[in-house]
Amino acid sequence: MTDKELTPKVKAEAPAKGERVRPGRVFLPAVDIYETPEALVLVADMPGVSGERVTLDLKDSLLIIQGEIAPPLGPGETLLRQEYSTGDYYREFQLGELIDKSRIEATMNDGVLTLVLPKVERAKPRKIEVKAG
Amino acid sequence: MPLTWWDPEWDPFREFEQLRRRMDRLLEEELGLRPWWTGVYPPVNISEDADHVYVRAELPGVKPEDLDIQIQDRSLILRGEKKIPAAEKGVNYHRREREAGYFRRVVRLPRPVDPDKVEARCQDGVLTITLAKPEELKPRKIAVKTA
């Protein structure tokens, strides 16, 4: 058992990007990003989002993660007490490494998205021979 | 540098969007819809319909076997642990915003419930506890008779 007690955090709202078609608020998911020699791994907490409702987009070095939540209340329910806000998730990252798009792996488990972004093998340094003229 | 009234970075649509958000927040606060702040993890949302009271909490990455839920009269006790599997040794972190740890919380239910009719379910990292209202509290339809 970990000895750290969790404390609540207010969800950070994503900066406004144009006008959205879907109503509601948009939050920034909390993420862990780490690097192994072969890949960049991104783990994002997106509670309420199922696997089919995650959109990933990688254009050049800009990675966009989006997740749409299922309705937070069942039909006919009224809210009595609200301690947390619900809404979709959106976050962008500028990746410093070249990523092999064909081998990206994404899994969604218990509201946690795990993305494995394999690095493109870097061109090996070449030695350039200088010929005597 | 000459002063111009037109800032090329200025995006009127973004300004509108920000204004709209500020209005939303103001309305939330004015209407008393501002989220309650207890300082205890996890925050919960409580709702009801005719027959049930629902308590929900966002617990991404928490496995059902790491949750312990109890009910005592009108107190709902939520205990559990969020585990984050350790990455292999050779990795380096760019960001670390997610947290692991344990939690223990008691939620006072706004309505009496039947302690024998409680169900808990975890889906996509959202815990939903469904509590049945006792029979005498369920709304009853009253037929209006004609004189």
Side-chain angles (χ1 to χ4, degrees):
Chain A
M1 180 141 172
T2 34
D3 45 6
K4 194 180 166 192
E5 186 151 10
L6 289 169
T7 48
K9 298 213 162 46
V10 179
K11 287 189 193 173
E13 220 153 330
K17 274 262 156 81
E19 224 173 315
R20 272 167 44 90
V21 176
R22 220 170 116 85
R25 292 164 78 174
V26 185
F27 298 99
L28 294 171
V31 299
D32 284 350
I33 303 175
Y34 58 86
E35 205 171 327
T36 69
E38 302 81 34
L40 205 59
V41 181
L42 187 148
V43 187
D45 279 345
M46 298 201 286
V49 178
S50 60
E52 316 83 74
R53 304 186 85 167
V54 178
T55 323
L56 302 165
D57 185 30
L58 179 59
K59 220 171 271 162
D60 300 324
S61 61
L62 183 72
L63 173 71
I64 299 174
I65 297 172
Q66 285 183 84
E68 287 186 357
I69 54 161
L73 288 181
E77 279 180 47
T78 45
L79 211 49
L80 297 172
R81 177 179 174 131
Q82 187 179 23
E83 294 180 352
Y84 66 87
S85 312
T86 48
D88 295 339
Y89 298 92
Y90 181 96
R91 198 153 169 184
E92 295 182 353
F93 297 95
Q94 202 73 49
L95 303 177
E97 296 275 345
L98 282 176
I99 300 301
D100 182 351
K101 284 191 190 182
S102 62
R103 293 191 296 133
I104 293 178
E105 274 174 56
T107 44
M108 195 76 193
N109 243 323
D110 301 321
V112 181
L113 170 73
T114 305
L115 255 187
V116 180
L117 306 151
K119 296 178 195 171
V120 169
E121 249 193 77
R122 281 265 167 81
K124 293 202 176 95
R126 271 179 305 161
K127 209 174 173 129
I128 295 150
E129 302 257 341
V130 181
K131 284 173 195 164
Chain B
M1 199 179 97
L3 199 68
T4 48
W5 66 277
W6 181 261
D7 175 359
E9 295 280 302
W10 185 63
D11 176 356
F13 293 102
R14 196 169 56 204
E15 295 276 312
F16 274 127
E17 180 67 16
Q18 279 169 356
L19 185 69
R20 191 189 59 78
R21 277 161 191 253
R22 260 180 242 143
M23 290 295 289
D24 280 355
R25 201 146 314 140
L26 192 72
L27 277 172
E28 265 185 17
E29 287 174 18
E30 285 302 308
L31 295 171
L33 292 171
R34 189 178 17 187
W36 299 41
W37 191 249
T38 58
V40 194
Y41 190 94
V44 297
N45 284 351
I46 305 177
S47 59
E48 69 172 347
D49 58 18
D51 303 331
H52 297 96
V53 172
Y54 304 90
V55 177
R56 290 188 178 85
E58 293 185 334
L59 297 169
V62 178
K63 302 256 173 289
E65 60 266 28
D66 291 327
L67 274 169
D68 173 16
I69 303 162
Q70 290 174 30
I71 182 147
Q72 278 172 12
D73 194 23
R74 261 170 86 169
S75 294
L76 185 69
I77 296 157
L78 303 173
R79 285 172 159 260
E81 190 185 352
K82 177 170 175 167
K83 294 173 182 165
I84 295 182
E88 315 105 81
K89 276 197 181 130
V91 312
N92 298 309
Y93 276 90
H94 286 275
R95 268 165 220 254
R96 207 159 194 180
E97 298 167 356
R98 300 168 66 243
E99 281 185 309
Y102 70 93
F103 53 90
R104 43 188 185 172
R105 167 160 196 194
V106 57
V107 179
R108 176 98 180 135
L109 297 169
R111 305 266 187 272
V113 294
D114 185 340
D116 297 322
K117 290 182 187 157
V118 182
E119 261 179 39
R121 204 177 127 79
C122 254
Q123 197 180 357
D124 300 324
V126 179
L127 169 71
T128 302
I129 303 168
T130 306
L131 308 111
K133 290 183 184 176
E135 282 306 316
E136 64 269 21
L137 266 180
K138 288 184 185 170
R140 249 164 291 176
K141 252 209 151 83
I142 295 146
V144 181
K145 289 172 191 158
T146 45

